[in-house]
Amino acid sequence: MDITYPPDAERFRARIRTFLAENLPAGWAGVGALPPDERAEFATRWRATLTENGLVAVSWPKEYGGAGLTDVEQVVLAEELARAGAPSGGENDGFGIGMLGNTLIQLGTEEQKSYFLPRILSGEHRWCQGYSEPDAGSDLAGLRTRAVLDGDEWVIDGQKIWTSAGHTANWIFVLARTDPAAPKHKGITFLLVPMEQPGVEVRPIVNAAGHSLFNEVFFTGARTRADLVVGGVGGGWRTAMTLLGFERGGQVTTQAIEFARDLDRLVELARDRGLTGDPRIRDELAWCAARVQVMRYRGLRGLTALLQGCTPGADGAISKLVWSEYFQRYTELAAEILGPELLAPTGPGSGEVLRVAEVGTPNSSRAWVDELLYARAGTIYAGSSQVQRTIIGEQLLGLPREPRLDGGPFAEIRPGKGA
């Protein structure tokens, strides 16, 4: 097996490293080293720098304002930004550029592309994702938010939850049920909805670490134009899966880089407390190091599949299971190393992180407690561990499928009765 990158990719890597050296502030130590009140301002300036150098929307074709990079160049760029601790864009860009923009390029109408893509690229439109609901998370097709056509507009009623960056967004892409008489995967439509209207209410949710990373979004007679449908009326499930393929493909090799970096912090924590000679702590650290290598090689496997034109599929469930359960175990090890400090943590926190701490985050007990608390959600969001094991069993191992209780028209399914 050859795990080296082709020469062209390494030349591109050298170019990106030169760009970072020339454009990041002198003495750059990573976003985590900045005071929390300076991070948003830096992210705005940095996004402008990336845009000026053609390093935003790098997967988009040049005709749509993107960089037209190859798949391997996109991966190299993501790796180098991760290593440098530099953002790849603004808070909402993952949804607007990485997910919706790519989906519009593949499935959108020419009118949708010409209107939305430039506004996504400029940052005028800031997007979030309206998928999960209180009773439709891992079983997403069980969603009950509904949309009814009223003349030349859709009228939307319902609730979404766990909407990351919803408080900073002004547009949301929404999965809504438009045909309750159809089976549950068939009667769903993918809608583009403006959030700055009376019928949309965003309520931040405070997590266990005290941060508001995600929100509830309520729709009460909210409206959007009839033509703001991606993938056709009733084709929302296919559009949703296309979009999720872009979401899951963007971090194919960077997860291992980020977790390896955080493992270095954990080893330093153990060393500072004189515990690296403890046989059990050493054994746990060795287990962590081995698991990070598993993530690295799974990332390279995913990159190979990407370069061969394979669509991300059920195999991604293995990666999700590996990193999310590892996330909990190594932060629990950090808690054990901290001991009594865990009860009265001190120092700066890790900020509003979505996963591992940012580059430059102080190795403080407060930062580790923040990470420990957020790790608890890792085996739930983006598909729970139970769902991932079901996918692995049924789709990869060929085990018998679980009996389904939700066939037939969706309107006849009692709430809570899923597969």
Side-chain angles (χ1 to χ4, degrees):
M1 178 173 61
D2 184 3
I3 61 171
T4 60
Y5 285 59
D8 286 350
E10 293 302 342
R11 283 191 288 271
F12 180 73
R13 189 187 303 278
R15 174 190 148 197
I16 295 302
R17 288 180 176 176
T18 299
F19 162 78
L20 293 171
E22 292 175 348
N23 288 276
L24 286 171
W28 175 253
V31 171
L34 295 175
D37 58 350
E38 296 181 11
R39 294 177 186 178
E41 182 182 349
F42 170 80
T44 300
R45 295 197 311 269
W46 182 246
R47 188 189 191 277
T49 300
L50 292 174
T51 302
E52 291 167 5
N53 288 271
L55 296 175
V56 169
V58 296
S59 64
W60 293 8
K62 291 183 179 180
E63 64 190 277
Y64 296 119
L69 297 187
T70 65
D71 289 335
V72 71
E73 286 173 331
Q74 295 171 44
V75 169
V76 166
L77 174 62
E79 289 178 351
E80 293 308 313
L81 290 172
R83 288 192 176 100
S88 59
E91 184 176 16
N92 300 89
D93 282 337
F95 300 106
I97 293 176
M99 295 162 64
L100 179 63
N102 283 318
T103 302
L104 286 176
I105 289 169
Q106 185 166 329
L107 300 177
T109 65
E110 289 305 316
E111 292 77 10
Q112 290 169 350
K113 295 174 190 177
S114 63
Y115 178 78
F116 286 108
L117 294 180
R119 289 167 174 81
I120 293 172
L121 195 58
S122 70
E124 177 186 346
H125 286 180
R126 302 177 305 279
W127 287 84
C128 62
Q129 181 182 50
Y131 275 21
S132 295
E133 299 183 6
D135 293 318
S138 295
D139 180 26
L140 181 59
L143 62 91
R144 293 182 176 273
T145 293
R146 62 190 182 277
V148 177
L149 199 58
D150 179 22
D152 59 356
E153 290 185 317
W154 293 99
V155 181
I156 307 163
D157 291 278
Q159 177 189 358
K160 298 295 180 178
I161 199 166
W162 314 127
T163 308
S164 298
H167 56 299
T168 56
N170 54 16
W171 281 81
I172 181 171
F173 48 89
V174 177
L175 289 181
R177 190 160 301 281
T178 53
D179 184 3
K184 71 177 191 177
H185 288 83
K186 301 293 185 182
I188 297 171
T189 300
F190 188 106
L191 301 172
L192 309 177
V193 182
M195 298 182 71
E196 295 177 344
Q197 59 170 302
V200 179
E201 180 186 1
V202 179
R203 298 181 190 172
I205 299 172
V206 179
N207 66 15
H211 303 301
S212 298
L213 299 170
F214 35 71
N215 312 264
E216 296 176 285
V217 181
F218 295 85
F219 302 95
T220 309
R223 290 178 175 265
T224 194
R225 294 202 323 259
D227 63 325
L228 296 187
V229 171
V230 182
V233 175
W237 190 253
R238 171 176 171 259
T239 305
M241 295 303 102
T242 298
L243 183 141
L244 287 177
F246 290 118
E247 177 188 24
R248 292 164 181 165
Q251 298 175 327
V252 64
T253 60
T254 57
Q255 286 180 348
I257 292 171
E258 293 169 349
F259 279 115
R261 183 183 70 233
D262 221 32
L263 177 57
D264 289 341
R265 290 179 63 238
L266 184 60
V267 172
E268 181 185 347
L269 186 74
R271 184 179 294 115
D272 288 346
R273 282 149 182 78
L275 293 175
T276 51
D278 183 294
R280 211 189 67 77
I281 298 296
R282 287 176 65 86
D283 185 65
E284 286 292 304
L285 290 172
W287 180 89
C288 290
R291 194 52 59 100
V292 167
Q293 288 303 308
V294 169
M295 283 188 261
R296 177 182 174 231
Y297 285 104
R298 283 206 57 79
L300 292 170
R301 175 189 173 100
L303 176 58
T304 300
L306 180 67
L307 297 178
Q308 291 175 347
C310 299
T311 302
D315 188 71
I318 300 175
S319 295
K320 170 58 168 62
L321 197 62
V322 168
W323 74 252
S324 61
E325 299 204 344
Y326 168 80
F327 191 17
Q328 292 184 354
R329 183 161 168 179
Y330 91 89
T331 53
E332 289 168 1
L333 177 58
E336 182 176 347
I337 291 170
L338 287 171
E341 290 181 68
L342 187 72
L343 302 178
T346 59
S350 63
E352 296 185 348
V353 295
L354 288 175
R355 196 171 297 157
V356 301
E358 299 277 9
V359 174
T361 298
N363 209 2
S364 66
S365 55
R366 170 62 66 189
W368 278 110
V369 168
D370 283 354
E371 202 165 342
L372 169 74
L373 293 173
Y374 195 76
R376 305 315 303 168
T379 53
I380 300 174
Y381 64 69
S384 68
S385 287
Q386 292 86 348
V387 167
Q388 304 309 314
R389 287 187 169 91
T390 297
I391 292 171
I392 292 167
E394 293 181 354
Q395 299 186 35
L396 298 180
L397 300 180
L399 299 179
R401 295 181 65 86
E402 292 186 353
R404 302 190 68 87
L405 306 175
D406 55 359
F410 182 81
E412 299 177 7
I413 300 173
R414 299 196 307 275
K417 280 288 184 182

